[in-house]
Amino acid sequence: MNDQRFNSLHLETSPRREDFRKARARLLGMCGQQTMMCDQERLAELAEAGPHTLIERPGEMPTGVHFWLQDGEGIYPLKVGLNSVGRMPDNDVIIADGSVSRRHCAIIVHAGDGCELHDTASKNGTFLNGQRIQGPTRLAHGDEIRMCDHKIIFQTDTPPAEAGDPARAPTLG
């Protein structure tokens, strides 16, 4: 896949670049064929439309989306496929915070069902509900994602999962 969001040119040092490439391979390996096709269609549409980070006013429900992130700055709708999160302006979700990595993490919204959070070898790690994620981890309504000091809440239009739901477990060990 040739996706500029996930190249490793932004990393200066070799060990971090290699860690990022491994994380990218793991991330792309988790996407199914249908999810990847939807993502490629979305990227083609975004290339024609211009800037692709949509921020709505905080407190308002986004329309026409099933999953989104929310912080004090606004609402970031998530689309089917890969949603890159970081401080670079070409991310799907741009976090204007100098402590957040350029490509901090990614969220896969599967074409079938559910979402997963992936750390993309960020310098300071990605935390879900206070715990550093060690691999791809399923997301549920109300989950708090922390990147350094920046907190963002994962939201969905479906009811929250039960606390003992197996979907809450990491997808890889």
Side-chain angles (χ1 to χ4, degrees):
M1 180 175 111
N2 187 15
D3 186 337
Q4 294 301 313
R5 296 171 300 171
F6 295 100
N7 68 33
S8 56
L9 299 176
H10 66 281
L11 296 169
E12 302 83 24
T13 60
S14 183
R16 288 230 24 243
R17 183 176 292 143
E18 191 57 35
D19 289 346
F20 180 85
R21 288 178 178 168
K22 288 176 185 174
R24 176 183 60 198
R26 209 171 32 248
L27 171 68
L28 297 176
M30 295 297 292
C31 294
Q33 184 80 16
Q34 186 178 8
T35 299
M36 292 301 288
M37 287 177 52
C38 290
D39 192 54
Q40 291 302 314
E41 291 171 8
R42 179 176 66 94
L43 288 175
E45 290 172 6
L46 292 173
E48 293 176 13
H52 52 277
T53 297
L54 174 62
I55 301 174
E56 298 182 24
R57 290 187 297 214
E60 290 185 6
M61 290 282 292
T63 55
V65 295
H66 299 292
F67 306 103
W68 62 93
L69 300 175
Q70 185 169 358
D71 64 10
E73 303 297 316
I75 296 173
Y76 309 82
L78 301 172
K79 306 286 191 231
V80 172
L82 295 171
N83 294 270
S84 60
V85 181
R87 73 173 193 265
M88 295 280 286
D90 60 344
N91 281 299
D92 298 298
V93 176
I94 301 168
I95 305 297
D97 182 330
S99 65
V100 171
S101 293
R102 295 172 192 166
R103 300 270 187 262
H104 201 99
C105 61
I107 296 173
I108 299 176
V109 175
H110 290 284
D113 185 34
C115 299
E116 295 171 341
L117 176 65
H118 294 251
D119 182 77
T120 52
S122 64
K123 189 172 185 176
N124 296 309
T126 302
F127 293 78
L128 182 64
N129 300 322
Q131 299 294 315
R132 186 175 186 152
I133 63 171
Q134 300 300 316
T137 306
R138 288 214 177 264
L139 290 168
H141 180 82
D143 280 346
E144 179 186 89
I145 300 167
R146 185 171 53 84
M147 299 161 277
C148 300
D149 291 330
H150 193 90
K151 295 177 184 175
I152 197 161
I153 306 298
F154 176 78
Q155 304 270 335
T156 179
D157 63 353
T158 58
E162 295 294 321
D165 189 341
R168 303 288 309 185
T171 54
L172 289 178

